Amino acid sequence: MGVDLLQVGVSGLLSSQQRLGTTGHNIANVNTDGFSRQTVLQETSSPVRAGNNFAGTGTRVSQIERVFDQFRYNEVVFNQTLNSAAQTTATKMQRLDETMSLIGKSISTSLNDLFGAVNSLVDVPGDIGLREVMLSKADTLSKNMSSVQAALNGEYNSVNEDLESSATNVTEIAEQLAALNRDIVKASANNSTPSDLLDKRDNLIKELSSYTSVSTVETNDGALNVYIAGGQTLVTGTTKFSVGIEAGNPDPRQTQLFIQSPSGAKQSLPGDNIGGSMGALIKYRDGVLSDTMNKLGQTAISIADSFNTVQSQGMDLNGLQGQNLFKDINDTESAQRRFLSDFDNTGTLSGEVDISDINQLSSDDYRLDFDGTNYTMTNQSTGTSQVLTPDNVTAPVGSRTYTTGDGFTFKETGGVPQNGDSFIIQPTRLGSTNLDVNLTQPEQIATSSIVEVYDDDDNVNTAKLKITSVDNTAAAGFPSASNPLSLEVYEAPVGTFNYRVLDNAGNPQPLFDENGVALGPSSTYTTSPLKFQTAGMSFELSGLASGQGINAPERYEISYAVGEGNNKNALAMASLVDKKLANQGRSTMNDLYEESVTSVGSATATANIEASAANTLFSQAEARMSNTSGVNLDEEASDMLRFQQAYSASARVISTANEIFNTLLQAAR
């Protein structure tokens, strides 16, 4: 009887000791990330027959169980991915918003200062000092544009560095997961549960889910196969894959993620499926950040083209037709950098992209695909596609020009494309890097108009003749101080208008339509407006110049107007501030930049709201998980007292058994 009692007491003592140890383990790890509370499962030992009865033999520990809810854990992992993506986006957007709001405001300020200098020059067009101020303000605008572009380039590089760092971390996590799989499989060989190892593995999965979307499949031996980015294998059993980063194609700066097997085979990870902070970084870089750079470039291109166009229509103090104020937007280097060839192309085509109409130009990028016969151009923002038709159909492939309806022209400059070749067109991406001041001397600012149009006092109609562009001051018949030109319009018969342009001696000048097609010394038109070219100039006659009989013909004098006091071209330059010259007549120069700032601000506000919502969902999921698996110190303290009492009681049972045994020994003496 005493021996049986001793065994019962010892079993209770050992079980209570295990419970106390497990409770202490829980308390010690109350602040350990990813720790799941453990509990001891007890059961009665096998009884022994005592006559017609069964006598109990005490208790034993059947299992140390890990308190874990797989569903709630999966919920935490899922919300961790969403929250990490949202927080990353919000952080990056906040930084971009600060860049555009603080550093970027210098662009609006310097653009307004430039127009202020132009307005001062309008009052005194020949003043050298005011001209120097204007050049200085133009240079300040150029430098501020470059500063903002440099800040955006720095942010772009920072994202690439973050991606590289994240890829390294993911690879390290994969290596640790593979090692843990090996240890867990070994520890689980006897149907035991290595709780602490499982906690470490689950905590790594949770950490991994902050970088990318994760899914797992547990195998029969306890190992965990891990998949990321919509199904790409990262860990299978004890084998790990690695994640890396490589130059983008066709844009090397647009780095891409790949996953590599132990054998060295690579598989690219598409940005849309990555999720987590890495997916958010790619989406931010290729979305808002790139769009902001494009819009900044569109602003710079619009500024340069507008000022350069007005400059070309005037005469400077040196008596020369105005040169570009800013660097030519279509210089060879700029045109070539807008056209990117896919590295995998089998053809040899090289190309250029010229900006042809800033009003039709957008901030979008385009993909160009060649099917062996035609190019299909797809807007990467809207997804709309168009098949391009060459302007010069008879020209051989490799030397054709394609005018798009999107404000730019694509030119083949050499080589030959092959079926399946693809290209990327970025019309505005690098525009802000090319806003360099071209003029070096204040005298080169063209404030004076070259020619002016004057209505004859005897005209009886309201039709207006306008010079749309001065194309070639060296052209035959171009007006001079001693040789003005005149346009004569005579209506005969009714509804048909005959027109011709005469020099001072009455000699008719050759006429051309707006496309340069020769019309002869005279021509007719029936509908307004009339667009034509002559003597190195382009004109538009709006309205119907009705003049019949004694009222005919209607006359318009085209006179040479250059003079130091002439400020007509300066006025045209000053008027650019209010002209809706971009986005199909919807935006001024200032509007373009302000729209990009507003767009970033709006996206930042949205990102902050989404980050707050995602963080709330993640916190709630963690709270639910903690309620199940977390350590409650009050509960553990209560258990500690309870198990301590059980331990003491079991010790008393052993002491009693010992006393009984001693009594029996003494009775036998």
Side-chain angles (χ1 to χ4, degrees), residues 157-216:
N157 293 335
S158 174
V159 171
N160 286 341
E161 290 170 1
D162 290 345
L163 282 172
E164 185 174 9
S165 174
S166 297
T168 300
N169 292 341
V170 169
T171 299
E172 291 175 353
I173 291 173
E175 188 173 356
Q176 295 176 58
L177 286 171
L180 279 170
N181 272 345
R182 182 177 57 252
D183 294 341
I184 289 171
V185 169
K186 185 182 299 183
S188 303
N190 297 320
N191 293 323
S192 57
T193 304
S195 298
D196 292 334
L197 291 178
L198 292 174
D199 282 345
K200 288 182 180 179
R201 187 173 69 180
D202 287 341
N203 202 40
L204 282 174
I205 294 294
K206 180 184 171 186
E207 182 183 354
L208 178 63
S209 70
S210 68
Y211 293 105
T212 177
S213 59
V214 181
S215 60
T216 59

Side-chain angles (χ1 to χ4, degrees), residues 61-295:
V61 174
S62 62
Q63 184 181 353
I64 299 177
E65 187 179 60
R66 175 176 175 244
V67 181
F68 183 77
D69 187 319
Q70 186 67 47
F71 175 80
R72 290 187 173 179
Y73 172 74
N74 290 342
E75 184 183 20
V76 170
V77 169
F78 175 76
N79 282 284
Q80 170 78 300
T81 301
L82 297 181
N83 185 53
S84 180
Q87 300 305 323
T88 299
T89 300
T91 300
K92 289 296 184 181
M93 286 303 309
Q94 189 66 41
R95 184 170 171 176
L96 180 61
D97 187 45
E98 291 173 357
T99 297
M100 297 300 289
S101 300
L102 300 178
I103 303 176
K105 68 180 182 181
S106 62
I107 292 179
S108 294
T109 300
S110 53
L111 182 58
N112 290 332
D113 288 346
L114 174 58
F115 278 113
V118 173
N119 284 321
S120 297
L121 199 56
V122 167
D123 296 331
V124 192
D127 190 290
I128 297 298
L130 293 178
R131 287 168 171 265
E132 289 176 339
V133 170
M134 179 181 164
L135 284 184
S136 174
K137 297 300 182 182
D139 187 59
T140 299
L141 173 61
S142 172
K143 291 178 178 177
N144 288 337
M145 189 73 74
S146 296
S147 295
V148 177
Q149 180 64 41
L152 295 181
N153 284 338
E155 178 68 6
Y156 199 97
N157 293 335
S158 174
V159 171
N160 286 341
E161 290 170 1
D162 290 345
L163 282 172
E164 185 174 9
S165 174
S166 297
T168 300
N169 292 341
V170 169
T171 299
E172 291 175 353
I173 291 173
E175 188 173 356
Q176 295 176 58
L177 286 171
L180 279 170
N181 272 345
R182 182 177 57 252
D183 294 341
I184 289 171
V185 169
K186 185 182 299 183
S188 303
N190 297 320
N191 293 323
S192 57
T193 304
S195 298
D196 292 334
L197 291 178
L198 292 174
D199 282 345
K200 288 182 180 179
R201 187 173 69 180
D202 287 341
N203 202 40
L204 282 174
I205 294 294
K206 180 184 171 186
E207 182 183 354
L208 178 63
S209 70
S210 68
Y211 293 105
T212 177
S213 59
V214 181
S215 60
T216 59
V217 175
E218 187 172 3
T219 60
N220 293 333
D221 59 1
L224 201 66
N225 293 340
V226 182
Y227 306 93
I228 63 171
Q232 297 294 329
T233 301
L234 181 66
V235 177
T236 175
T238 58
T239 302
K240 61 95 177 177
F241 290 60
S242 59
V243 175
I245 195 168
E246 60 186 358
N249 181 15
D251 184 355
R253 293 188 63 213
Q254 192 178 7
T255 54
Q256 299 171 333
L257 291 169
F258 66 85
I259 193 163
Q260 187 172 17
S261 68
S263 65
K266 289 184 180 181
Q267 175 68 43
S268 63
L269 295 177
D272 293 342
N273 297 328
I274 292 176
S277 61
M278 292 198 300
L281 286 171
I282 291 175
K283 184 177 180 181
Y284 163 74
R285 182 196 65 187
D286 299 345
V288 176
L289 180 57
S290 292
D291 187 52
T292 301
M293 296 172 75
N294 286 352
K295 287 179 178 177

Side-chain angles (χ1 to χ4, degrees), residues 315-330:
M315 194 74 78
D316 65 19
L317 288 183
N318 297 320
L320 301 174
Q321 187 173 1
Q323 302 176 44
N324 288 336
L325 173 60
F326 295 103
K327 182 179 178 180
D328 182 7
I329 63 171
N330 290 323

Side-chain angles (χ1 to χ4, degrees), residues 24 59 171 187 217 239 276 281 363 394 400 450-451 469 491 499 510 514 537 546-547 549 564 599 612 632 645 666:
T59 185
T171 299
V217 175
T239 302
L281 286 171
S363 60
T394 58
R400 294 179 175 180
I450 302 176
V451 289
S469 68
E491 185 181 10
Y499 67 98
E514 59 181 318
M537 297 170 286
S546 301
E564 184 175 326
S599 177
S612 177
N632 185 312
Q645 291 173 349
Q666 291 175 1

Side-chain angles (χ1 to χ4, degrees), residues 43 176 297 359 603 615:
E43 62 182 16
Q176 295 176 58
N359 192 32
N615 188 59

